[in-house]
């Protein structure tokens, strides 16, 4: 990514991308910011600002060239640079994430799962195998993997994180509801589902 | 909730709440915004602004009274008003969400699961039963449930949503990667995991 862009804008870009893909499939050549805004039920000005922030400019009165804009967004968001990741925890959440189709489109490729439970080791989730967690350090080195997705119970999350960091993992997308400590050179991003619920819940209360 | 508060602030409040709970458990009487900021690795000023936005004021030089602040946050975030919800889709994601311990603390109580698959109907997830989706309208009415959590495949998400709305559901927390249409009087909040990945991925690219 060439320049800093705000997190709320970043979160909206995949929505624009989905709409562009649909437009391309239905044979549209151009799409306006007003149309995108209407489909997503957000403000037209917001859409134009977000797209401008990616450095893409539409054609006056016609809008955005669908093909060109799609390629631009893919480049901007790095969808073409596949990011290979290991997924830790083959519980329900881990399996749901491993099966989730939406990731590959965005350049995330989950290669394998890891678990400490001997009953899970050797299982297949789609085409992905579940390995013993003890195999991880060796596989991280041999395959040069830097990203881990953490879907383990919160009680063990810190221990597993320490093990991941020792094994050479440098970026962790954490789904466990726990504040994990990592060294400065490791990136950690928390997907706190409970925090998302608080936002949803407050929207309900406001109505 | 008594007044408008920004979404980023709302998302941080549960983190403060977790820290306050830990402080209470370890017997601390007061906690400073600097300490909270340090534990969460965010800016002290941000912590003070966020807490001020909830209407709570600490004591100069001592900080926040842990017990009092905890009660204030619970009230502010509506944790004491339990929100009962039905969960639609007893696949891996649905089961993971139904088992997720973190929700109850925040006032979300998932009562039952629903699925169209006859092999899943009658199963128990913890103490929660999986019912046939066809039973939902009657149960919504009898139990006066307004909230549904949607964890179904995207291909069927719109049909299921229409069915939920017809059945009387008024707020939907959607985990399917789909732009769903609902009438204006229904609240929908999308939990787009792929969009979250885009944010994580861009943070990796920036390093």
């Amino acid at each position: 990514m060439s320049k800093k862009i705000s997190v709320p804008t970043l979160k909206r870009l995949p929505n624009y991308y989905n709409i562009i893909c649909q437009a391309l499939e239905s044979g549209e050549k151009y799409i306006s910011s007003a149309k995108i805004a209407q489909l997503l039920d957000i403000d037209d000005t917001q859409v134009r600002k977000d797209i401008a922030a990616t450095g893409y400019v539409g054609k006056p009165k016609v809008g955005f060239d669908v093909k060109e804009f799609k390629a631009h967004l893919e480049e901007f968001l790095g969808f073409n640079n596949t990011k290979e990741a290991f997924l830790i925890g083959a519980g329900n959440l881990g399996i749901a994430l491993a099966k989730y189709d939406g990731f590959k489109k965005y350049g995330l490729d989950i290669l394998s799962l890891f678990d400490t439970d001997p009953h899970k080791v050797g299982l297949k989730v789609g085409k992905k195998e579940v390995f013993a967690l003890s195999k991880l350090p060796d596989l991280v080195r041999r395959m040069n993997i830097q990203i881990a997705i953490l879907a383990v119970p919160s009680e063990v999350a810190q221990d597993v994180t320490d093990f991941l960091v020792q094994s050479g993992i440098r970026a962790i997308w954490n789904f466990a509801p726990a504040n994990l400590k990592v060294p400065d050179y490791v990136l950690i991003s928390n997907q706190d589902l409970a925090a998302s619920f608080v936002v949803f819940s407050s929207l309900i209360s406001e109505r």
Side-chain angles (χ1 to χ4, degrees), chain A residues 116-182:
Chain A
T116 49
D117 180 349
H119 294 99
K120 287 180 180 158
V121 172
L123 291 179
K124 289 244 176 181
V125 180
K127 290 183 182 163
K128 297 160 183 136
E129 192 170 340
V130 182
F131 292 105
L133 188 59
S134 57
K135 303 252 190 220
L136 183 120
D138 185 43
L139 285 168
V140 162
R141 253 191 310 273
R142 278 165 48 199
M143 303 176 71
N144 190 27
I145 301 299
Q146 308 220 305
I147 306 173
I149 302 170
L150 195 59
V152 300
S154 36
E155 310 87 73
V156 298
Q158 184 64 57
D159 285 350
V160 174
T161 299
D162 295 346
F163 182 70
L164 294 177
V165 171
Q166 283 160 28
S167 308
I169 288 293
R170 291 297 170 259
I172 298 171
W173 189 13
N174 170 38
F175 281 79
N179 288 324
L180 302 173
K181 302 278 163 222
V182 290

Side-chain angles (χ1 to χ4, degrees), chain A residues 19 22 31 34-42:
Chain A
I19 286 182
Q22 285 162 19
I31 192 164
K35 177 77 183 167
I36 297 175
Q38 185 217 321
L39 287 169
L40 289 172
D41 196 18
I42 53 178

Side-chain angles (χ1 to χ4, degrees), chain A residues 22-91:
Chain A
Q22 285 162 19
L24 191 67
E25 271 171 36
S26 53
E28 292 168 52
K29 280 218 161 136
Y30 291 94
I31 192 164
S32 66
S33 58
K35 177 77 183 167
I36 297 175
Q38 185 217 321
L39 287 169
L40 289 172
D41 196 18
I42 53 178
D43 198 63
D44 186 10
T45 321
Q46 184 68 70
V47 174
R48 269 180 282 134
K49 264 194 193 166
D50 289 342
I51 296 175
T54 71
Y56 189 70
V57 187
K59 292 189 177 66
K61 306 215 175 154
V62 237
F64 305 104
D65 180 308
V66 169
K67 244 186 196 162
E68 211 179 84
F69 184 35
K70 180 169 175 279
H72 172 81
L73 270 183
E74 285 168 354
E75 175 65 29
F76 184 82
L77 291 170
F79 293 173
N80 303 325
N81 320 326
T82 299
K83 291 172 187 75
E84 297 181 324
F86 284 157
L87 197 153
I88 323 302

